[in-house]
Amino acid sequence: MTNASPSTIKGTGVVSGVAYAEAVWVRPRPDLPTAGEPIEESRRDSEYDRFLEAVDIVASRLEQRAAGADGQAAEVLGATAGMVKDRGWHKAVRKGIRAGKSAEYATVCATDKFVTMFEAAGGVMAERTTDLKDVRDRVIAELRGEQEPGLPLVEGEAVLFAADLAPADTATLDTAHIKALVTELGGPTSHTAIIARQLNIPCIVAVGARLREIESGELVFVDGAVGTVRLGVDPAESRKAVEEYREKAARVAQWRGPAETKDGYRVQLLANVADGNAARIASDSQAEGIGLYRTELSFLSASEEPTVDEQARIYAKVFNAYPHSKVVVRTLDAGSDKPISYATLTSEENPALGVRGLRVARDNEALLTRQLDAIAQAAAERGEDAPTWVMAPMVATSTEAKWFSGLCRERGLTPGAMIEVPAAALMADTIMPHLDFVSIGTNDLTQYTMAADRLSPQLAYLTDPWQPAVLRLIRHTCVVGRDNNVPVGVCGEAAADPVLACVLTGLGVNSLSAASTAVAGVGAQLAEVTLEECQKMAEAAIDAEGPTEARASVFKVMEQFKN
Ligand code: PEP
Ligand code: MG
């Protein structure tokens, strides 16, 4: 793209695609007030009236937006308006004001009380606390005469800019208007990235403080594949690039599996799911089966271990979505960022390096065998055409692989392991002989290879799945897989990136499993390259100095294929 002086700001691209539109900042949440001076007794009634006025304005604004929206967006806005008008909450605010608190501070205290109650109730109630805080922030901004926080109303097209996005900000996000997301913080596995992947719009995270240099209203060109936000670019060329991207998106929508490269090399494309509902959604996509069923996500709010029968019923819902295809079930990956009350140690200094995944079962084998019994029970009716594979998370040694494999085989299950600890990749030749397959978890493999917390926005430049160090471990695993005749899959976020998926195929990966919304993009991209081209892309990435260089040199190699 040419221009006198376009300036470029770089972040981590997490969903590819381009957009050219005005930047619109999500308005920040207000700073919360502290106690301050008590309100004089004579002014307390009018202070409460001031609160009620703010409540009316916020509720009617939300109702107006609900009336103009439809489907889930209208429901969310209507429900939020309902919370603003909640009498119990008003009563708690009134009590605070009568005790001398300002309307703003009484709003904070009353909300805190409800948040504590909802958190104690757990489950769906606990999930509502973000919405309660959202309501609190809107009312406080109104009381102060400030702009309403959160998503601004967008009429034309816009690129949404934010420090980071909360679930409440994204519930009503309309892709007819919002064409891309760019955030200062976040990482490849943050909420923003997950939402962008679901909505399938270009997304860049972890841009850092320089993003603040761009103001609402400025025209920006966003490229999610390389992670750049550019100002001052030529409008005609930008629009042409967007047009080409839209044509490509249309081709993706038309793409039908099963996946193969231009020269007919088959790559199995599978879906990552968390429960039966996600599995049903996946079965409507082009995913051939399930490559990662994260069982622990069904039990995050369970206080007691479900019985074998209860578990079997939960797993059967996932199997039923794919009655004639492969399903890979992962045993409980409890611990670290997924604590499960009945399985995880409560206090660990360093939980990501602690007793998580398969390690939990070392002192509690029965927890694992009950889960395997439940999986075997749920899979009992599945036919020859519907293989059930079971893999353990966080395997680090051949002893662990052998132990897990024995427990699976005793129950007639096909055993495998995730390769997500660098030691497992390096020692793959000792681990694979015990197993029938492996699946590389690039999210954790990157975290542990780079010694960088996958949840840290400051370290997103390290937790990039394009890190050549990670790609080298993947290449080694594929070589050992081929020698041992053990299929090697990838089920981390790396498999959702269409160009990186070609690199992985070139490295020798046999199957790719990603969010079901990403599958068609990967399949369409694979159809445009040959196996030999994938191998050249893999070489270019492996030889690069870092992730940015790897992307750049792979894109350069791809340009050469076109000529
Ligand atoms: C991974 O680590 O890449 C993976 C697929 O597992 P999770 O993201 O659930 O840790
Ligand atoms: Mg993992």
Side-chain angles (χ1 to χ4, degrees):
M1 203 148 295
T2 54
N3 189 275
S5 58
S7 63
T8 302
I9 300 180
K10 183 118 189 34
T12 302
V14 288
V15 180
S16 57
V18 298
Y20 180 61
E22 283 184 8
V24 171
W25 275 93
V26 170
R27 288 187 289 261
R29 304 265 143 206
D31 290 332
L32 296 183
T34 46
E37 288 295 306
I39 300 286
E40 278 170 35
E41 206 155 346
S42 60
R43 281 184 38 227
R44 290 181 191 167
D45 281 348
S46 59
E47 187 69 358
Y48 184 57
D49 289 344
R50 201 165 72 80
F51 166 77
L52 290 179
E53 263 168 47
V55 154
D56 276 349
I57 293 171
V58 171
S60 63
R61 217 182 270 146
L62 286 163
E63 279 162 354
Q64 259 172 26
R65 285 177 63 188
D70 44 32
Q72 201 199 358
E75 270 174 40
V76 171
L77 289 164
T80 312
M83 284 171 116
V84 180
K85 294 196 287 191
D86 184 86
R87 287 182 182 280
W89 183 58
H90 294 186
K91 227 168 126 186
V93 174
R94 191 174 59 199
K95 203 170 152 201
I97 294 175
R98 284 198 175 145
K101 290 176 184 151
S102 68
E104 288 87 342
Y105 186 55
T107 302
V108 172
C109 298
T111 311
D112 282 351
K113 186 178 139 201
F114 279 83
V115 166
T116 314
M117 257 159 53
F118 279 27
E119 277 170 353
V124 182
M125 294 295 274
E127 284 165 22
R128 304 291 299 277
T129 54
T130 316
D131 302 334
L132 276 176
K133 289 180 192 162
D134 182 51
V135 163
R136 172 200 65 196
D137 293 346
R138 286 175 197 274
V139 171
I140 289 177
E142 186 55 41
L143 282 166
R144 288 177 177 160
E146 291 170 2
Q147 280 194 321
E148 200 172 14
L151 272 190
L153 207 57
V154 174
E155 284 180 354
E157 292 192 348
V159 173
L160 199 65
F161 277 33
D164 202 357
L165 287 168
D169 295 325
T170 49
T172 58
L173 223 152
D174 181 354
T175 51
H177 300 291
I178 305 296
K179 295 295 167 191
L181 303 180
V182 182
T183 62
E184 213 180 324
L185 305 170
T189 48
S190 65
H191 183 78
T192 305
I194 290 166
I195 290 287
R197 228 168 264 127
Q198 273 165 12
L199 297 173
N200 206 11
I201 54 174
C203 176
I204 301 172
V205 297
V207 178
R210 280 199 67 199
L211 192 64
R212 301 263 158 205
E213 292 168 15
I214 303 175
E215 288 177 12
S216 285
E218 289 191 78
L219 271 170
V220 290
F221 181 81
V222 171
D223 188 337
V226 285
T228 51
V229 182
R230 306 181 74 197
L231 282 167
V233 287
D234 179 70
E237 284 192 39
S238 302
R239 290 197 184 98
K240 185 164 163 257
V242 171
E243 199 41 49
E244 281 170 7
Y245 163 64
R246 288 198 177 141
E247 282 165 15
K248 182 154 190 186
R251 279 204 301 284
V252 167
Q254 304 272 311
W255 181 82
R256 295 291 171 268
E260 55 181 32
T261 58
K262 200 154 90 180
D263 54 337
Y265 176 76
R266 275 280 282 122
V267 182
Q268 207 173 31
L269 292 192
L270 306 160
N272 290 353
V273 303
D275 54 26
N277 193 31
R280 269 191 305 283
I281 293 170
S283 69
D284 284 334
S285 77
Q286 293 299 308
E288 290 174 53
I290 290 171
L292 170 63
Y293 167 23
R294 291 180 161 105
T295 55
E296 67 282 355
L297 298 184
S298 299
F299 307 121
L300 288 179
S301 54
S303 51
E304 276 174 29
E305 183 193 342
T307 65
V308 170
D309 288 345
E310 280 163 355
Q311 288 189 50
R313 276 195 292 279
I314 292 170
Y315 305 148
K317 287 187 188 154
V318 171
F319 293 144
N320 291 344
Y322 277 99
H324 304 293
S325 324
K326 177 167 99 178
V327 173
V328 183
V329 184
R330 178 174 73 184
T331 55
L332 220 54
D333 187 18
S336 190
D337 54 330
K338 290 176 286 195
I340 292 187
S341 65
Y342 62 84
T344 327
L345 297 184
T346 43
S347 59
E348 282 186 296
E349 287 283 326
N350 207 342
L353 299 179
V355 184
R356 64 166 291 201
L358 183 64
R359 299 167 183 188
V360 170
R362 267 187 84 227
D363 282 337
N364 192 356
E365 188 177 284
L367 181 72
L368 172 61
T369 52
R370 282 192 291 272
Q371 183 175 29
L372 294 177
D373 287 339
I375 297 169
Q377 185 176 318
E381 302 298 315
R382 285 167 65 75
E384 289 279 299
D385 59 344
T388 307
W389 291 8
V390 184
M391 64 182 178
M394 292 295 290
V395 170
T397 67
S398 64
T399 311
E400 289 172 347
K402 189 174 171 197
W403 166 53
F404 180 75
S405 161
L407 297 175
C408 288
R409 292 196 202 283
E410 279 166 19
R411 292 163 174 81
L413 296 166
T414 302
M418 292 202 60
I419 302 289
E420 52 184 350
V421 176
L426 292 167
M427 299 295 284
D429 58 327
T430 66
I431 286 176
M432 286 196 198
H434 302 293
L435 303 168
D436 289 4
F437 72 100
V438 296
S439 184
I440 301 173
T442 47
N443 306 336
D444 277 316
L445 187 61
T446 309
Q447 150 160 280
Y448 296 125
T449 303
M450 303 309 296
D453 183 346
R454 65 191 261 188
L455 301 177
S456 161
Q458 287 80 14
L459 301 180
Y461 74 102
L462 289 173
T463 50
D464 183 326
W466 280 82
Q467 285 287 358
V470 178
L471 298 177
R472 288 177 189 203
L473 287 173
I474 296 175
R475 176 178 60 180
H476 176 73
T477 309
C478 290
V479 169
V480 179
R482 213 169 303 142
D483 290 349
N484 286 271
N485 213 8
V486 168
V488 176
V490 165
C491 63
E493 293 301 315
D497 174 336
V499 177
L500 187 50
C502 297
V503 169
L504 296 170
T505 302
L507 290 174
V509 168
N510 313 109
S511 66
L512 298 160
S513 190
S516 60
T517 46
V519 165
V522 171
Q525 181 65 59
L526 279 167
E528 286 181 17
V529 288
T530 63
L531 177 60
E532 199 189 330
E533 287 170 347
C534 289
Q535 286 159 346
K536 288 198 175 125
M537 291 162 79
E539 266 168 46
I542 287 270
D543 289 341
E545 272 184 38
T548 310
E549 293 83 355
R551 274 192 190 86
S553 82
V554 167
F555 277 90
K556 206 161 142 203
V557 169
M558 283 172 80
E559 278 304 312
Q560 287 162 9
F561 301 153
K562 288 186 194 154
N563 302 325

